[in-house]
Amino acid sequence: MRQELLVESNAGQVKPLSTAVPQGGGVAMLVRRGDKKGEMQLESVDSYVEAAQSLFSGSQQLPVLSGSSTFFPYPSDAFAKRRAFVHSEDEDVMKLFRSLAGESDSDHNSGNRTLSSDAAWTVSFIKPGSACHGWCDPKQVVNEMGRRRGLLMYMLVVEESLRQDAFICSLQSNWCRLIDELRMTVAGKVAAPFIDVSANNPKSDRK
């Protein structure tokens, strides 16, 4: 299923994602949209892009918690290859990230600016048309994909996220919380950089 649904984009070329052992230095980015719009304040895509850029550039000033004086320790070149696994229900968000991998036809209307220095990413994602987009009603997912395939697709997102070495998402999303808990336990990545883009939002209660 991995080989069927996962693809990666680099230098404008899209190809199936290798099923081999991950190369390391990847960043998982979960940009929650869809039905979450009515439940939480959605962070701009720019906040995700800028967080990833901090990792790519080797910033040593990424706090473990918002306002903390303790920072994540990691080699400054750990994420220099600018690799990211991105998942979002919003097709415009996905087009934006694909444009960062050089896909010139991936114009977007997401209302977020793209930083001009962000070219040359390698972005992996669920193949378009395979994942739920917009407001994802569970019954609709079951009807379109079937119970087994729908569940496996969501679990594939979790698995591929946990294969990465850093994590960017909003802890106001339960999907993000699941990834955060699993990366600290079964994935054995408790010391991996984790950036909560909602950390400055008063509704984010991570302590």
Side-chain angles (χ1 to χ4, degrees), residues 75-130:
S76 60
D77 62 348
F79 304 99
K81 292 184 178 180
R82 305 165 75 90
R83 296 177 54 250
F85 169 69
V86 182
H87 184 70
S88 178
E89 311 97 318
D90 190 323
E91 293 183 80
D92 286 330
V93 169
M94 295 307 303
K95 288 179 180 178
L96 184 150
F97 281 102
R98 293 176 66 176
S99 73
L100 297 180
E103 292 189 47
S104 59
D105 60 344
S106 295
D107 295 329
H108 57 86
N109 300 291
S110 61
N112 298 278
R113 62 186 176 85
T114 306
L115 305 182
S116 60
S117 61
D118 289 338
W121 289 34
T122 296
V123 177
S124 57
F125 50 93
I126 299 289
K127 186 182 298 182
S130 301

Side-chain angles (χ1 to χ4, degrees), residues 32-35 89-91 132-137:
R32 189 73 166 86
R33 290 295 187 261
D35 56 320
E89 311 97 318
D90 190 323
E91 293 183 80
C132 176
H133 295 289
W135 186 74
C136 301
D137 183 278

